[in-house]
């Protein structure tokens, strides 16, 4: 099973390449999507990979690619503003420039999942690194069997990509189950923790390949719910998040036990990181 | 085994139950249907039943003064609705309302309570299964309390 994406970094991986901001779309109060145009090269990536975005004079942050891998010429990244660099990214305007390194890291095992049911389980902004995998399955729908998206968010107002969720939910070739922790007036969907969706999706637990991404504790309980449902641990994949700095396994900032999240991940088979996820403090 | 016993035995909540226990359950069971918006029970009312949802979605709600009904959890096909019948004073602690066309099996709670006392093995089996439901809902509620998705700023 080839986890390493075909995409290779051709340039010096430590040198940012300038990209022009084509558009900045607000998603949620603190979350936005950047559409970046390369100035002197095309870009390709595999679902699940990330780049390092550099705001000149401010700093650099790792951000998952959230766009369609079948759509060339545009780098789409969804960002939550949680600190100085991401705040600066949110303040950018069309025409501004950022530096981009990457894409880096392992990807969701799209080829290995061919011929199987595919379950994508996300929580909160964890849907962003999963969205390229959703696009890939939909772009190549005949290669996969039943396709299920399980998504949880805090409230209806905090559903990421709400319009797309609605569009995907209206398709005949995929099932979308969404649950919120806190309902507000007018919400007619499910209320409850996202792990409760695991038993409701129309998929064959013996056959399904699962891609899981969200807050750490949600992934821990989500994976447990999937295992309880009968999904094999070696067919559950998770995307881990750590404080990546160099992104190529030199600096050690993202070291998690014996693993470098930037180089060996961010996508891992759950069985390989199951013990790490349960570590109380690193 | 009657059709309703076989149907109950095929539901995950009752899976593996002894045939005589299924017969006891079937004896106090009746099918019910609800349209969207139908109130199944109200907070404070007699907890005189519990339900196995066969189809549809049910919202558990609390009335919050000034804010109206607040859905705290939804239940779906295959899930059990109602545990207040197990514990004194046998009063519902939430409202339950059908959100979509819903089919369910209603179990008469006073009859179930009597059956539990008369047949301790049945009572133990039922309590064990309901305790699993309660534990799972308590864990889910605790995860909800963690506010997993909040900003980490």
């Amino acid at each position: 099973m080839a986890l390493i994406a075909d995409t290779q970094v051709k340039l010096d991986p430590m040198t940012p390449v300038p990209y022009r901001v084509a558009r900045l779309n607000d998603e949620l109060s603190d979350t936005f999507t950047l559409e970046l145009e390369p100035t002197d090269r095309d870009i390709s990536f595999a679902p699940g990979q990330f780049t390092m975005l550099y705001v000149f004079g401010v700093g650099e942050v790792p951000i998952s690619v959230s766009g369609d891998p079948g759509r060339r010429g545009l780098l789409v990244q969804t960002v939550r503003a949680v600190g100085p660099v991401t705040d600066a990214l949110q303040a950018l305007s069309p025409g501004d420039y950022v530096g981009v390194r990457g894409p880096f890291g392992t990807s969701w095992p799209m080829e290995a999942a061919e011929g199987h049911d595919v379950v994508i389980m996300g929580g909160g902004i964890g849907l962003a690194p999963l969205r390229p995998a959703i696009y890939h399955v939909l772009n190549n729908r005949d290669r996969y069997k039943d396709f299920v998206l399980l998504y949880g968010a805090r409230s209806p107002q905090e559903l990421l990509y709400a319009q797309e969720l609605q569009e995907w939910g209206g398709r005949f070739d995929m099932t979308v189950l969404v649950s919120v922790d806190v309902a507000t007036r007018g919400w007619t969907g499910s209320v409850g923790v996202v792990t409760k969706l695991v038993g409701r999706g129309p998929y064959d637990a013996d056959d399904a390949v699962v891609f899981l991404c969200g807050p750490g504790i949600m992934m821990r309980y989500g994976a447990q719910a999937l295992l309880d449902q009968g999904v094999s641990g070696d067919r559950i994949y998770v995307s881990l998040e750590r404080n990546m700095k160099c992104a190529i396994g030199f600096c050690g900032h993202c070291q998690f036990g014996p693993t470098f999240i930037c180089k060996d991940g961010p996508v891992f088979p759950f069985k390989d990181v199951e013990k790490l996820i349960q570590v109380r403090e690193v | 085994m009657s059709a309703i016993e076989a149907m109950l035995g095929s539901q995950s909540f009752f899976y593996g139950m002894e045939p005589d226990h299924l017969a006891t359950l079937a004896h106090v069971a009746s099918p019910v249907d609800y349209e969207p918006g139908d109130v199944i029970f109200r907070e404070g009312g007699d907890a005189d039943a519990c339900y196995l949802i066969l189809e549809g979605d049910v919202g558990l709600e609390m009335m919050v003064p000034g804010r109206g009904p607040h859905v705290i959890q939804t239940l779906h096909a295959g899930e059990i609705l109602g545990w207040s019948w197990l514990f004194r004073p046998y009063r519902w602690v939430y409202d339950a309302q059908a959100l979509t066309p819903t089919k369910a099996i209603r179990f008469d709670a006073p009859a179930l309570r009597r059956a539990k006392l008369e047949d301790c093995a049945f009572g133990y089996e039922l309590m064990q299964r309901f305790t699993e439901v309660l534990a799972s809902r308590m864990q889910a509620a605790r995860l909800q309390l963690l506010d997993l998705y909040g900003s980490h700023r």
Side-chain angles (χ1 to χ4, degrees):
Chain A
M1 188 174 300
L3 266 178
I4 301 294
D6 293 337
T7 309
Q8 298 293 325
V9 179
K10 301 289 194 304
L11 302 171
D12 172 6
M14 292 303 289
T15 304
V17 172
Y19 275 60
R20 188 186 304 107
V21 176
R23 193 181 294 179
L24 189 150
N25 298 319
D26 288 329
E27 303 282 358
L28 308 171
S29 60
D30 62 352
T31 305
F32 56 97
T33 295
L34 281 169
E35 294 184 9
L36 305 171
E37 292 171 329
T39 53
D40 63 352
R41 65 165 180 161
D42 199 3
I43 183 159
S44 66
F45 68 95
Q49 289 193 297
F50 70 96
T51 71
M52 298 299 295
L53 291 187
Y54 177 38
V55 182
F56 301 111
V58 181
E60 197 179 44
V61 284
I63 302 290
S64 298
V65 184
S66 62
D68 183 348
R71 187 177 166 204
R72 303 293 290 265
L74 206 60
L75 181 63
V76 178
Q77 307 208 255
T78 300
V79 184
R80 178 187 258 178
V82 292
V85 182
T86 47
D87 284 348
L89 283 169
Q90 192 170 25
L92 292 172
S93 300
D96 288 344
Y97 285 84
V98 293
V100 176
R101 292 194 294 121
F104 298 112
T106 55
S107 59
W108 299 112
M110 305 310 304
E111 278 185 30
E114 289 182 6
H116 294 273
D117 289 356
V118 175
V119 177
I120 288 187
M121 184 174 178
I125 198 173
L127 186 58
L130 291 165
R131 190 167 69 161
I134 297 171
Y135 288 137
H136 182 89
V137 173
L138 294 178
N139 292 342
N140 302 277
R141 190 62 192 84
D142 56 334
R143 297 187 199 168
Y144 302 92
K145 288 159 66 178
D146 286 340
F147 181 34
V148 178
L149 170 62
L150 311 175
Y151 178 57
R154 184 169 182 272
S155 72
Q157 287 71 37
E158 290 162 86
L159 293 173
L160 190 60
Y161 312 135
Q163 193 176 336
E164 275 185 305
L165 285 172
Q166 208 157 20
E167 288 166 12
W168 294 331
R171 292 178 66 117
F172 294 114
D173 58 356
M174 77 181 286
T175 301
V176 177
L177 297 176
V178 175
S179 189
V180 297
D181 281 1
V182 182
T184 48
R185 191 179 287 257
W187 172 252
T188 56
S190 294
V191 180
V193 69
V194 64
T195 51
K196 292 259 294 167
L197 298 177
V198 165
R200 291 177 51 207
Y203 60 90
D204 178 1
D206 292 332
D207 179 69
V209 176
V210 184
F211 305 159
L212 174 57
C213 186
I217 193 161
M218 172 249 163
M219 290 203 284
R220 205 168 84 210
Y221 282 96
Q224 189 56 54
L226 289 159
L227 293 170
D228 291 346
Q229 195 67 20
V231 179
S232 165
D234 58 9
R235 289 202 313 279
I236 300 172
Y237 295 84
V238 296
S239 179
L240 299 185
E241 186 184 55
R242 281 294 179 278
N243 186 16
M244 274 86 104
K245 286 288 183 194
C246 74
I248 49 177
F250 286 165
C251 73
H253 268 85
C254 66
Q255 189 171 355
F256 192 17
T259 303
F260 288 86
I261 303 297
C262 68
K263 181 171 65 75
D264 305 320
V267 176
F268 294 92
F270 176 69
K271 64 179 173 47
D272 290 356
V273 292
E274 183 177 5
K275 296 248 175 352
L276 288 175
I277 285 176
Q278 289 166 2
V279 171
R280 287 171 187 266
E281 213 169 312
V282 178
Chain B
M1 185 179 279
S2 70
I4 191 162
E5 288 169 44
M7 185 275 289
L8 291 177
S10 70
Q11 298 291 317
S12 61
F13 182 75
F14 295 119
Y15 187 75
M17 216 170 194
E18 296 292 332
D20 57 328
H21 293 164
L22 289 174
T24 303
L25 287 163
H27 191 64
V28 300
S30 54
V32 286
D33 292 281
Y34 298 99
E35 293 300 316
D38 283 354
V39 173
I40 302 171
F41 52 75
R42 285 261 189 232
E43 178 184 341
D46 283 343
D48 58 355
C50 67
Y51 303 82
L52 172 66
I53 302 170
L54 301 177
E55 290 176 29
D57 309 287
V58 174
L60 289 179
E61 301 175 347
M62 289 186 90
M63 181 58 75
V64 183
R67 286 168 52 192
H70 191 83
V71 179
I72 52 168
Q73 188 183 17
T74 52
L75 300 173
H76 310 274
E79 293 193 280
I80 285 287
L81 167 65
W83 48 261
S84 301
W85 68 277
L86 279 167
F87 309 105
R88 290 187 184 84
Y90 309 126
R91 300 266 175 215
W92 296 121
V93 290
Y94 309 115
D95 296 345
Q97 184 176 182
L99 302 175
T100 58
T102 298
K103 291 183 186 300
I105 298 291
R106 178 186 189 278
F107 299 95
D108 182 74
L112 274 185
R113 287 195 288 261
R114 282 194 299 276
K116 273 192 324 121
L117 288 175
E118 288 164 8
D119 180 348
C120 290
F122 171 72
Y124 178 81
E125 187 69 38
L126 208 56
M127 286 301 285
Q128 193 165 32
R129 288 166 192 258
F130 269 89
T131 305
E132 282 177 20
V133 170
L134 289 174
S136 134
R137 290 191 189 165
M138 185 175 72
Q139 189 186 47
R142 284 174 172 171
L143 283 175
Q144 280 173 277
L145 284 173
L146 280 176
D147 190 14
L148 298 178
Y149 309 116
S151 174
H152 302 291
R153 189 182 284 269

